[in-house]
Amino acid sequence: MKNKTNFPPGWDEERVQRVLGHYESQTEEEAVAEDEAAFEDNAHTVMEIPNELVPSVRQLLAKRAG
């Protein structure tokens, strides 16, 4: 029996494969450059939170998005 994968809204198998292909084909230098660019993006904030708070933060983000 084949397992049916449930994707988030807007995602499908093709999109997953494109994203995987992007990251699997990157050189280490390209990956570092992409990470550095993300930290310089003023539209988002990067912060550390304790692992035990991650589920609560995810719930808050889901409520905001939903």
Side-chain angles (χ1 to χ4, degrees):
M1 179 167 62
K2 184 179 176 186
N3 288 341
K4 175 152 174 54
T5 303
N6 293 319
F7 296 104
W11 285 78
D12 58 16
E13 181 69 27
E14 180 183 342
R15 184 172 181 186
V16 169
Q17 292 305 316
R18 278 197 324 265
V19 170
L20 286 173
H22 169 78
Y23 288 109
E24 289 174 349
S25 68
Q26 273 187 327
T27 65
E28 187 171 334
E29 291 81 15
E30 290 169 331
V32 169
E34 187 175 51
D35 290 347
E36 288 174 347
F39 278 100
E40 294 172 3
D41 181 358
N42 291 331
H44 297 90
T45 299
V46 177
M47 64 175 59
E48 280 189 39
I49 60 169
N51 289 336
E52 64 268 13
L53 292 179
V54 170
S56 298
V57 172
R58 285 185 175 158
Q59 285 180 342
L60 288 170
L61 292 171
K63 283 181 186 177
R64 185 170 193 264

